[in-house]
Amino acid sequence: RVAMSFTLQVLGTASAMPSSDKNPSAQALTVSGRLFLIDCGEGTQQRMRQMHLSFLKVEAIFISHIHGDHIFGLFGVLSTMAMYNRLQDLHIFGPEALRPIIRFYLSYFADGNNYKIEFHEVNARSLTPIWESKNVKVSAFPLKHRIDCFGYRFDEVCTERMLEKRPAASYAYCSDTMPFPELALYLKGVRTIYHEATYTKELADKAPKYFHSTTVDAAQCALEAGAKMLLVGHYSSRVKDREIFELECKEIFANSRAVDDGDIIEID
């Protein structure tokens, strides 16, 4: 069997309120040596150091939306890249509302920057390709949240010879969203899905109010999409036992895992 080429490192699993052992949303995905960050909540750069991730090797950052628990770590990451004398261009993808935030950073904190930040507006109304390289194709898709919010899908680009030995790896990141019918269609064919599951069944009445999902919503979406594996996170601070999220998901979708900060997952 050819070695798997997608490695996910979980940098943050909390929702709006960080805890002593959980940072807000952030992930790192390595595809055949290429490093991508997905969301960048508070504490991202500390977690990157703990997990020995290079600030110089990050090729692109994909931001789902501009709520603070998904971007408050961005300035620190960008600043540290400059301190390491990064020279390579950095691509940042996100909603149009992120543009003035990056402009603010460049205006006030980028004196030492020797690298160029290239911002790419994401405005997907359905599954839309936004980036492609030799190894991976990245697509964006809309989510249903209080503000513009997008998910990201990573599909490995394989030769016919590679596909004879193993299926192409694929991963989708579904950040803050309430359930909606089209989401499972955007995720068709993805083998591993990360889907926020902010609330357990006991707290299900809160999900629609805040445009979030429950364990049941996440598991049902993975089932409808035909995924092989479901990862959940973005846990409400009201629930202290992470195992509850996993057990509730498994009632609907057996191969479910409630991820924790620091987890490293090989994705096939």
Side-chain angles (χ1 to χ4, degrees):
R1 178 177 167 87
V2 177
M4 291 178 284
S5 57
F6 276 39
T7 302
L8 180 70
Q9 292 172 266
V10 181
L11 310 179
T13 59
S15 54
M17 189 83 70
S19 64
S20 59
D21 62 342
K22 288 181 175 56
N23 287 350
S25 295
Q27 297 184 358
L29 183 68
T30 302
V31 181
S32 300
R34 306 172 81 116
L35 180 58
F36 305 108
L37 291 184
I38 313 169
D39 276 344
C40 207
E42 185 180 351
T44 294
Q45 66 169 324
Q46 287 96 328
R47 194 73 76 198
M48 287 178 68
R49 290 179 184 279
Q50 291 165 3
M51 300 187 76
H52 309 292
L53 289 165
S54 170
F55 289 84
L56 300 181
K57 290 184 178 178
V58 176
E59 192 166 332
I61 300 175
F62 298 89
I63 300 295
S64 62
H65 63 301
I66 64 162
H67 281 159
D69 54 324
H70 296 258
I71 64 163
F72 279 166
L74 182 59
F75 282 14
V77 167
L78 298 179
S79 178
T80 297
M81 286 177 173
M83 291 181 187
Y84 275 117
N85 197 32
R86 179 189 176 106
L87 300 175
Q88 178 190 359
D89 290 356
L90 176 70
H91 299 272
I92 300 180
F93 294 81
E96 174 59 28
L98 184 60
R99 188 189 301 272
I101 295 171
I102 293 173
R103 191 179 296 131
F104 175 83
Y105 168 81
L106 292 172
S107 297
Y108 287 92
F109 304 112
D111 283 350
N113 271 42
N114 291 318
Y115 67 95
K116 181 182 178 183
I117 294 175
E118 190 80 40
F119 175 70
H120 305 266
E121 178 191 352
V122 176
N123 189 25
R125 292 293 169 252
S126 60
L127 186 65
T128 306
I130 58 171
W131 168 277
E132 186 162 1
S133 69
K134 178 183 176 183
N135 305 109
V136 64
K137 181 175 81 171
V138 185
S139 303
F141 51 90
L143 297 172
K144 193 170 184 179
H145 197 41
R146 286 180 290 170
I147 61 174
D148 281 349
C149 187
F150 301 97
Y152 296 100
R153 172 174 173 161
F154 300 80
D155 288 283
E156 184 182 17
V157 177
C158 290
T159 64
E160 290 297 327
R161 188 172 179 180
M162 292 166 65
L163 291 173
E164 289 173 5
K165 299 177 179 178
R166 62 171 176 86
S170 53
Y171 176 67
Y173 176 84
C174 301
S175 172
D176 300 15
T177 187
M178 64 189 303
F180 62 103
E182 294 82 7
L183 183 54
L185 298 176
Y186 303 148
L187 302 176
K188 284 286 185 188
V190 177
R191 295 176 64 80
T192 301
I193 294 170
Y194 168 85
H195 194 301
E196 70 111 312
T198 306
Y199 298 111
T200 56
K201 288 190 284 188
E202 184 182 1
L203 298 170
D205 61 311
K206 298 185 181 300
K209 180 180 177 182
Y210 297 106
F211 287 78
H212 279 298
S213 292
T214 66
T215 51
V216 172
D217 297 328
Q220 191 64 41
C221 181
L223 191 66
E224 291 174 11
K228 304 298 180 187
M229 185 179 192
L230 170 66
L231 309 175
V232 294
H234 200 267
Y235 310 119
S236 169
S237 59
R238 294 178 175 89
V239 184
K240 305 305 178 187
D241 185 359
R242 181 172 54 89
E243 189 178 359
I244 295 172
F245 293 93
E246 185 168 307
L247 291 173
E248 289 189 358
C249 288
K250 283 183 172 179
E251 291 175 5
I252 296 170
F253 190 85
N255 193 18
S256 296
R257 175 173 171 178
V259 296
D260 202 359
D261 288 35
D263 282 356
I264 301 175
I265 301 161
E266 296 293 342
I267 292 173
D268 63 8

